[in-house]
Amino acid sequence: MSTARTWAVALTGVDGHLVEVEADLSNQTPEFRIIGLPDKSLGEAVQRVHNACKNAGLDLPRRRLTVNLSPASLPKHGAGFDLGIAMAALAAGGAIGSRSIAATVHIGELGLDGRIRPVPGVLPAVFAAARAGFDTVIVPRGNESEARLVPGVEVRAAGSLAEVAVWHGADVEVPDVDVVESASVPVADHPRLDLCDVVGQGEAVEALLVAAAGGHHMLLSGPPGAGKTMLARRLPGIMPLLDEQEALEVASIRSLSGEAVAALDRVPPLEAPHHSASVAALVGGGSRTARPGAIARAHGGVLFLDEAAEFSRVALDALRQPLESGAIEVHRAGFTARFPAKFQLLLAMNPCPCGNYGVRGSECICPPMSIRRYSTRLSGPLRDRVDIDLQVSRVAASRAMGEAGGETTTAQARVRVQAARERAAHRWRSSPWRRNADVPGTWLRQGTQRLPAATRSPLDRALERGLLTLRGYDRVLRVAWTMADLAEIEQPGVEEIGRALHLRRGLPR
């Protein structure tokens, strides 16, 4: 047979697209060409496939071989197409069965000696194959544990080209080869931080519970040493564990980032980029391939920007669109990649460049203009998207030395947060939303959950006086509902509205 076809997967962001790999032999001058909008690394597959087949004892016919990657208009990149190209070429020459490969998706990079090397993004690629209705996917052995996380599809892991060829009917000897392990970066096993380590910050701990229970964005401002970073790094531990679908989405993004994925991690991720990070580091991208940035890697968890005022203004303003839409799009000339980016934003900053402005017993050496410029590094539109603006003070020495630990542990806090989330999910069960932070303001102001006028009066006055925008009005309502869920009451009262307004405006008590 002179024509054969199999399947591979092209990734654009976390979205996988099935690509038909067609191989055709013709009686012309021997040549091996790949068409269908391949990038440079994919164009180099000609030599990799040729040498791998020869060293596996599967010589290609000495005729003109044309491999087409369809649809031709879809950009394709990377060496993950090598295995599919080799299988289609061998089937076109009659070395293996064409019917067998036509029902199989092949993913993997070939070494010159015939070994199959792991590639990034196997998890979303296998997901795409399963959604397209394929039952069998062949992947590199180094990606086996990652690929088997996808339910409902048979995953075959191979270490060499000869091994795959034998599965499809070839009569060759399968050599004993060393498995090529994934070159991805292993994920560090961070110790679980407990909330009881926080001493003397009862108000901040309670605000952290509100943020976790409702999915609210939060800003912690205060002098160095007040415990802002300590509090922030304990937020993922008190958030509810991810369900299977959310954990798979997080694992897919980690796979695209080049991280090792051996099992599903149900703990929400914490992404904390350095304040020197560029816009591209936050948003993601690349000239040929789209890699997820910090915003996408924080999906399902927390994006923590420590020393937020030290980030560039452009980088901070890049957060505004994903905060509203829950997704980030990377636009390039040849493609548009979309990544999920539903995260909680947690900002921490000092009151001034030296950190001592307004601190009792300390002297601030910053000129007034420098203090003003520092405080305005967070733009008004970005601040307007923050639900909780809390000022954190340093803990007095008497409290730090006198208290053995905080009153609330991470386990106790997670139980409270989970119960509050369940109350909110039950209340919004007839809508597509489950967290208070996701509910549109019109539902809170005009729907069946509208609060009485007497309860809303502090908010109405703040809106009339220009102290709140309408977006801020809605965010205060959401925080008040979360406080009611934590307190296990039916709806927020004047006390919850007042506390939510206090947290919104960042006023010291």
Side-chain angles (χ1 to χ4, degrees):
M1 185 175 183
S2 61
T3 304
R5 57 179 54 87
T6 187
W7 298 89
V9 180
L11 293 173
T12 306
V14 293
D15 299 321
H17 308 276
L18 269 294
V19 173
E20 189 176 24
V21 184
E22 302 174 290
D24 179 73
L25 285 173
S26 59
N27 293 319
Q28 300 181 33
T29 304
E31 186 183 10
F32 192 166
R33 294 186 59 191
I34 299 176
I35 60 176
L37 209 59
D39 70 347
K40 182 174 177 58
S41 62
L42 182 49
E44 294 172 347
V46 170
Q47 198 61 48
R48 290 195 298 269
V49 170
H50 184 274
N51 286 50
C53 290
K54 181 178 180 181
N55 291 322
L58 297 160
D59 288 337
L60 296 173
R62 298 185 61 81
R63 297 157 62 185
R64 173 169 289 185
L65 176 61
T66 304
V67 174
N68 179 45
L69 306 177
S70 179
S73 60
L74 179 70
K76 306 163 191 75
H77 57 266
F81 291 84
D82 288 2
L83 186 58
I85 292 172
M87 290 297 104
L90 291 171
I96 61 176
S98 59
R99 180 174 299 180
S100 176
I101 68 168
T104 305
V105 177
H106 296 86
I107 304 168
E109 176 186 348
L110 291 178
L112 298 181
D113 58 355
R115 289 185 297 173
I116 303 178
R117 301 179 180 276
V119 293
V122 164
L123 183 58
V126 176
F127 255 120
R131 286 195 298 266
F134 285 89
D135 298 325
T136 306
V137 180
I138 296 178
V139 301
R141 193 162 290 160
N143 294 125
E144 180 179 7
S145 59
E146 178 181 342
R148 293 193 183 279
L149 295 176
V150 181
V153 63
E154 179 187 358
V155 174
R156 292 186 176 184
S160 67
L161 177 63
E163 186 177 354
V164 180
V166 168
W167 287 344
H168 292 306
D171 185 15
V172 292
E173 181 180 352
V174 179
D176 292 330
V177 297
D178 296 330
V179 177
V180 182
E181 297 295 340
S182 176
S184 54
V185 180
V187 180
D189 186 16
H190 298 291
R192 301 304 182 195
L193 305 176
D194 203 288
L195 200 60
C196 65
D197 297 334
V198 180
V199 177
Q201 295 286 6
E203 183 183 5
V205 169
E206 191 64 27
L208 205 66
L209 264 67
V210 173
H216 304 292
H217 308 306
M218 188 175 185
L219 168 63
L220 297 173
S221 58
K228 302 185 298 294
T229 303
M230 187 179 190
L231 285 163
R233 293 194 175 277
R234 281 154 179 78
L235 177 57
I238 67 177
M239 293 169 62
L241 299 179
L242 302 174
D243 60 30
E244 184 175 3
Q245 181 61 35
E246 292 170 335
L248 285 170
E249 291 177 354
V250 171
S252 295
I253 295 174
R254 284 173 47 192
S255 176
L256 287 169
S257 301
E259 298 180 8
V261 179
L264 292 182
D265 190 356
R266 300 299 181 94
V267 178
L270 172 67
E271 192 68 24
H274 192 261
H275 59 76
S276 62
S278 63
V279 178
L282 289 177
V283 174
S287 58
R288 295 183 180 272
T289 61
R291 300 291 294 272
I295 291 175
R297 292 196 300 272
H299 174 66
V302 178
L303 178 62
F304 174 44
L305 302 186
D306 201 1
E307 305 296 343
E310 300 295 338
F311 282 79
S312 72
R313 182 94 177 234
V314 177
L316 290 173
D317 284 343
L319 299 169
R320 287 154 56 178
Q321 183 266 336
L323 284 175
E324 293 293 329
S325 64
I328 184 74
E329 290 187 352
V330 178
H331 295 269
R332 293 295 181 267
F335 64 89
T336 299
R338 186 178 187 274
F339 298 99
K342 197 171 185 179
F343 59 89
Q344 280 186 243
L345 178 63
L346 185 52
L347 306 167
M349 62 180 292
N350 298 328
C352 68
C354 77
N356 292 324
Y357 178 69
V359 180
R360 183 182 302 174
S362 298
E363 179 182 1
C364 176
I365 60 175
C366 304
M369 183 58 68
S370 177
I371 297 175
R372 179 176 178 82
R373 188 184 307 115
Y374 193 82
S375 64
T376 57
R377 293 293 293 271
L378 301 185
S379 65
L382 180 59
R383 280 183 175 270
D384 205 32
R385 287 167 169 81
V386 174
D387 304 319
I388 299 173
D389 185 351
L390 182 68
Q391 290 194 6
V392 184
S393 303
R394 288 174 179 162
V395 180
S398 58
R399 299 190 65 182
M401 302 301 295
E403 296 184 18
E407 297 179 355
T408 305
T409 65
T410 292
Q412 293 170 341
R414 188 187 296 120
V415 170
R416 287 188 62 194
V417 168
Q418 182 64 42
R421 288 272 185 112
E422 291 173 356
R423 289 179 65 89
H426 179 73
R427 178 171 59 252
W428 309 116
R429 62 188 181 278
S430 59
S431 73
W433 306 285
R434 292 296 175 266
R435 302 185 311 174
N436 290 326
D438 301 328
V439 181
T442 52
W443 281 56
L444 299 174
R445 288 182 274 107
Q446 303 171 8
T448 57
Q449 302 296 337
R450 181 180 181 181
L451 298 178
T455 304
R456 302 192 319 268
S457 58
L459 266 182
D460 294 339
R461 289 195 300 268
L463 182 63
E464 291 170 359
R465 294 168 60 188
L467 301 176
L468 282 177
T469 64
L470 188 58
R471 179 191 285 127
Y473 185 102
D474 294 338
R475 291 186 179 277
V476 172
L477 281 177
R478 296 182 184 115
V479 173
W481 276 104
T482 300
M483 289 179 172
D485 291 333
L486 284 169
E488 299 183 359
I489 58 179
E490 289 300 321
Q491 66 178 22
V494 176
E495 180 181 354
E496 284 72 32
I497 291 291
R499 289 170 55 203
L501 190 59
H502 159 73
L503 291 178
R504 170 70 183 179
R505 297 171 61 186
L507 298 176
R509 282 188 173 178

